[in-house]
Amino acid sequence: MSSGGFLKELQVIGEKLLLKLQRLPKADPVEIVSFCVILLFIATVLVMMVIACSCCCYSCCSCGGRPDHRRRKIQVRPAAH
């Protein structure tokens, strides 16, 4: 997919979301609750991704200021007979 097509798809999705938000005050309570559940799900996924990425960065990049000694490679030498 080209970048132009991707941007067009994002624009269409944004317009649908804006239209949905504009109609929300007049919507049924069930529709309002379902929309809030969907938004809560999206927010939860984004927060979990941020937490996962920050934990991964902390363990891999030694962002805590100290190197991670668990990842040190140990050379195995053959036993002498």
Side-chain angles (χ1 to χ4, degrees):
M1 176 183 279
S2 67
S3 63
F6 180 71
L7 291 176
K8 183 69 175 168
E9 287 293 322
L10 281 179
Q11 183 180 4
V12 168
I13 292 171
E15 288 173 358
K16 286 181 182 179
L17 181 64
L18 184 61
L19 185 63
K20 186 67 128 177
L21 286 173
Q22 288 173 347
R23 292 183 184 171
L24 202 56
K26 301 176 215 164
D28 295 335
V30 173
E31 192 173 355
I32 293 172
V33 169
S34 64
F35 188 73
C36 289
V37 167
I38 291 171
L39 286 180
L40 183 65
F41 175 75
I42 292 171
T44 303
V45 169
L46 290 176
V47 167
M48 289 174 66
M49 284 178 52
V50 167
I51 291 171
C53 290
S54 65
C55 290
C56 181
C57 175
Y58 184 80
S59 67
C60 293
C61 302
S62 301
C63 296
R66 58 185 165 82
D68 191 4
H69 294 293
R70 292 177 291 160
R71 298 202 184 267
R72 187 176 10 162
K73 291 185 179 180
I74 298 173
Q75 271 189 329
V76 178
R77 298 180 188 204
H81 292 283

